[in-house]
Amino acid sequence: MMLKEMQKLPEAVQLIEKASMMYLENGTPDTAAMALERAGKLIENVDPEKAVQLYQQTANVFENEERLRQAVELLGKASRLLVRGRRFDEAALSIQKEKNIYKEIENYPTCYKKTIAQVLVHLHRNDYVAAERCVRESYSIPGFNGSEDCTALEQLLEGYDQQDQDQVSEVCNSPLFKYMDNDYAKLGLSLLVPGGGVKKKAAAPPQATPEGHAAPATEDEEDEYAGGLC
């Protein structure tokens, strides 16, 4: 705590980690977890990567003690930090772990929200297949099929696949998405479809000249600067 007052946060965190190990060896895992969580909060704004590690360690302690609700809360903090740092590959794995725990404790509505978070992360990874798989796998969660979460995700994936930016933006601006945790709401609002939202159009047939011949291609005009200005 004195190191914290001296603004020597990395050193303070190091000692808290050491203390937490001693608490574990002493058979007081609750106190160890509290210490690790405190260290995470302390360093979060200075070193988010270290904070993620500390929150994951805390979650492991709670999970070993079969205190799954506390464990999943800490995993949620880690997931949000990973998203904030745009570490989407790691975030996808972390959210999946959250979802598995919520499923285990039968908190199904929160599983739906985690599926939305997963899909947004996968789409920001440009991995449509993984996003679609998340929704497909969630059909096995009681009550998901037919829920507003499911309907919204199907519309989102359809719009993304069809490169329809208007449809994607409409879904992501709905209250269901906007009132999620801030980090996920931002992912929704910044989601862009591939190709800039311009649907692919069929190539126009060549226009005929008055004599009935096809107009010559304007290749020279288009390639005027193809070789550079020099």
Side-chain angles (χ1 to χ4, degrees):
M1 297 312 293
M2 290 180 72
L3 283 168
K4 176 192 169 188
E5 295 300 320
M6 295 163 66
Q7 293 299 307
K8 293 184 177 181
L9 299 183
E11 292 93 331
V13 167
Q14 205 172 6
L15 287 183
I16 294 174
E17 284 186 282
K18 190 173 180 181
S20 72
M21 288 301 297
M22 291 177 176
Y23 285 130
L24 284 172
E25 289 168 7
N26 191 48
T28 51
D30 283 3
T31 312
M34 285 172 57
L36 287 170
E37 184 180 2
R38 185 178 300 163
K41 287 178 182 174
L42 202 63
I43 202 81
E44 190 173 300
N45 294 325
V46 180
D47 188 350
E49 192 171 337
K50 182 64 179 176
V52 167
Q53 182 190 327
L54 290 163
Y55 289 145
Q56 289 171 336
Q57 282 179 252
T58 313
N60 287 337
V61 173
F62 280 130
E63 203 172 352
N64 290 338
E65 294 301 306
E66 296 185 355
R67 294 178 58 179
L68 297 183
R69 293 181 191 279
Q70 287 91 338
V72 79
E73 185 182 329
L74 270 297
L75 280 174
K77 288 185 177 185
S79 298
R80 289 192 293 275
L81 274 180
L82 288 167
V83 166
R84 205 174 303 165
R86 305 192 73 78
R87 294 160 59 187
F88 294 132
D89 291 350
E90 294 168 78
L93 294 173
S94 183
I95 296 168
Q96 181 62 50
K97 191 167 184 183
E98 284 185 74
K99 190 174 165 182
N100 292 342
I101 293 178
Y102 279 119
K103 196 173 179 181
E104 192 175 336
I105 62 179
E106 299 183 354
N107 186 340
Y108 300 128
T110 306
C111 285
Y112 310 163
K113 305 303 176 198
K114 294 303 167 185
T115 304
I116 293 177
Q118 271 184 308
V119 167
L120 289 171
V121 166
H122 283 311
L123 292 181
H124 272 274
R125 294 174 63 238
N126 299 314
D127 193 341
Y128 175 84
V129 174
E132 191 180 36
R133 192 188 308 124
C134 283
V135 176
R136 195 165 58 244
E137 289 172 351
S138 294
Y139 289 138
S140 64
I141 300 172
F144 178 74
N145 197 1
S147 66
E148 62 171 344
D149 306 76
C150 178
T151 304
L153 283 172
E154 287 171 346
Q155 290 173 349
L156 176 66
L157 289 175
E158 179 190 39
Y160 191 89
D161 189 40
Q162 298 295 322
Q163 299 185 358
D164 187 340
Q165 185 65 52
D166 289 341
Q167 183 169 326
V168 167
S169 297
E170 186 179 344
V171 174
C172 290
N173 274 286
S174 66
L176 188 65
F177 280 65
K178 283 177 75 174
Y179 297 129
M180 292 181 70
D181 286 318
N182 199 35
D183 293 297
Y184 300 122
K186 284 180 179 178
L187 281 189
L189 294 174
S190 62
L191 183 60
L192 299 174
V193 301
V198 180
K199 294 184 182 180
K200 295 174 184 174
K201 298 177 182 176
Q207 294 182 350
T209 60
E211 289 79 13
H213 301 296
T218 57
E219 190 176 335
D220 290 341
E221 293 177 18
E222 294 174 0
D223 292 341
E224 186 179 352
Y225 299 113
L229 295 178
C230 299

